[in-house]
Amino acid sequence: MPRSEMAVHDDQPLSFAARLMSEWQKGDRSRLARLLIGALFVVVIAMFAASIMTGAANASLGNVLQWLLGVGGAEQALSARDRIIILDIRLPRAVLGLLVGASLAVSGAVMQGLFRNPLADPGLVGVSSGASLGAVLLIVLGSTFFGPLFAIFGFYALPIAAFLGGLGTTLLLYRIATRSGQTSVATMLLAGIALGALAGAATGVLIFVADDKQLRDLTFWGLGSLAGANWTKILSAGPIIIAALAVVPFLARGLNALTLGEATAFHMGIPVQRLKNIAIVSVAASTGASVAVSGGIGFVGIVVPHVLRLVIGPDHRYLLPASALLGGTLLIFADMIARTVVPPAELPIGIITAFAGAPFFLWILLRGRSHMGL
């Protein structure tokens, strides 16, 4: 091929998918990660807009934007009923889905980096069960034993109770699974199953003594749902989740060093113990707040980081923000399915994530069992 023709050929713009494939083939994971994060940012905005438009009320994105921006004919763009549906139902639901999805995915990525294995996840190792126990304890006994807690913290009391439950479970799990600075994945999984079963048994006792109204709420809440999303819940859990997500990027360098082992990370100047403490508190806070407002939604924390790690590699500088974006996107998408698959009823979102995540978890387990001693 003549040199001039080669130059013209090389200067031709590539499609985004072609650019991603080119970076993948060259092995340049950092540039690939930046491209993917940019793409995920666009996708999450599109999914957020689609969530606001999806539902029984017929409102197009153009009408919604016209009304929100207050441009010509804004009052006629949407009826009063549609404005209530969008502002008080769909918008808080989309915001909560974004926050919870990002929280669960990032928590999974942090736990996998902390324990140095791909099977760590708040739902699988009992952290979510501990958070659920804290929340259920407050819901059932709040009017009797924990009245002062409600009086002091108001609507923050439930996320705080879930945070304390998740924190206690995480600390206990880490203590059991770690010996001489090494964390055993088999011990972690078995201990997580035991702690989850213990927390589930205690939750069952509380459900047994709950009244009819509490029982109905707890049954649907336990399956995971964004149906009760409102601005009060966002104000109660949102600041905790956002604070945890804001802290996590500062752990990226330390988590990268931990992949080489705690001793190596220490000699690289990483304050290992402080890193572990901050990571555990961040995971417990974000998971607890998420469980308090959405119930038990599993497998997001294991599927999202693992998929991204296969594509962009294990560098937590890119893995953590990518996990937040993809986790939020997937949970908003799952919520859209939950609202539309069996109308006018609503399918609990935890069922959808379990159907998608459980086979993926089995695939991870079978694919890596020879390397994990299982």
Side-chain angles (χ1 to χ4, degrees), residues 129-130 133 194-207:
S129 298
L133 175 59
L195 292 175
L198 185 61
T203 302
V205 172
L206 293 170
I207 292 175

Side-chain angles (χ1 to χ4, degrees), residues 2-346:
R3 190 176 185 85
S4 59
E5 291 184 15
M6 290 178 61
V8 172
H9 179 74
D10 291 341
D11 290 339
Q12 289 178 351
L14 296 174
S15 67
F16 184 77
R19 289 173 65 191
L20 287 179
M21 183 59 66
S22 175
E23 299 298 337
W24 171 265
Q25 292 173 344
K26 290 189 295 185
D28 188 354
R29 294 292 186 94
S30 61
R31 187 175 179 185
L32 175 65
R34 290 192 292 268
L35 289 171
L36 186 61
I37 289 173
L40 288 173
F41 185 77
V42 175
V43 171
V44 75
I45 293 175
M47 193 62 65
F48 191 91
S51 177
I52 295 176
M53 292 187 295
T54 302
N58 186 17
S60 68
L61 179 60
N63 289 343
V64 173
L65 291 177
Q66 182 179 345
W67 176 71
L68 290 175
L69 297 175
V71 296
E75 291 300 322
Q76 291 75 33
L78 292 174
S79 66
R81 172 178 170 272
D82 289 348
R83 288 197 292 270
I84 292 174
I85 290 174
I86 290 171
L87 283 182
D88 296 335
I89 298 177
R90 293 186 188 173
L91 188 57
R93 190 161 180 158
V95 171
L96 192 63
L98 180 62
L99 289 173
V100 171
S103 168
L104 296 177
V106 170
S107 295
V110 171
M111 288 195 72
Q112 289 166 20
L114 183 64
F115 286 101
R116 299 190 296 281
N117 71 78
L119 297 180
D121 167 69
L124 291 174
V125 297
V127 178
S128 295
S129 298
S132 297
L133 175 59
V136 171
L137 188 68
L138 192 68
I139 291 171
V140 176
L141 303 179
S143 60
T144 55
F145 295 98
F146 300 105
L149 187 62
F150 273 116
I152 295 173
F153 296 104
F155 53 66
Y156 286 100
L158 189 61
I160 289 173
F163 159 68
L164 293 176
L167 177 61
T169 307
T170 306
L171 291 173
L172 187 56
L173 176 69
Y174 188 82
R175 186 70 177 267
I176 294 172
T178 303
R179 185 177 182 181
S180 302
Q182 299 295 322
T183 300
S184 168
V185 61
T187 303
M188 182 198 68
L189 288 174
L190 294 174
I193 292 172
L195 292 175
L198 185 61
T203 302
V205 172
L206 293 170
I207 292 175
F208 181 76
V209 301
D211 57 36
D212 290 340
K213 182 181 181 303
Q214 292 172 340
L215 183 60
R216 286 193 300 270
D217 293 342
L218 289 173
T219 300
F220 193 73
W221 173 81
L223 294 173
S225 175
L226 300 178
N230 54 49
W231 295 114
T232 301
K233 286 188 175 183
I234 292 174
L235 289 175
S236 66
I240 299 174
I241 294 174
I242 291 172
L245 293 178
V247 169
V248 162
F250 295 99
L251 306 178
R253 177 172 171 267
L255 292 174
N256 285 343
L258 273 182
T259 60
L260 304 175
E262 291 188 10
T264 304
F266 178 78
H267 290 297
M268 292 173 63
I270 302 297
V272 175
Q273 191 57 47
R274 187 174 67 181
L275 172 70
K276 292 191 291 186
N277 292 339
I278 295 173
I280 288 172
V281 171
S282 299
V283 168
S286 58
T287 302
S290 299
V291 168
V293 294
S294 65
I297 299 176
F299 294 101
V300 175
I302 191 170
V303 171
V304 171
H306 197 83
V307 169
L308 290 172
R309 198 177 285 108
L310 292 174
V311 177
I312 64 175
D315 191 339
H316 289 84
R317 294 176 301 168
Y318 305 112
L319 182 63
L320 294 174
S323 295
L325 292 171
L326 184 56
T329 301
L330 288 182
L331 201 61
I332 292 175
F333 180 66
D335 182 57
M336 291 170 59
I337 295 176
R339 283 186 281 155
T340 56
V341 69
V342 285
E346 182 173 315

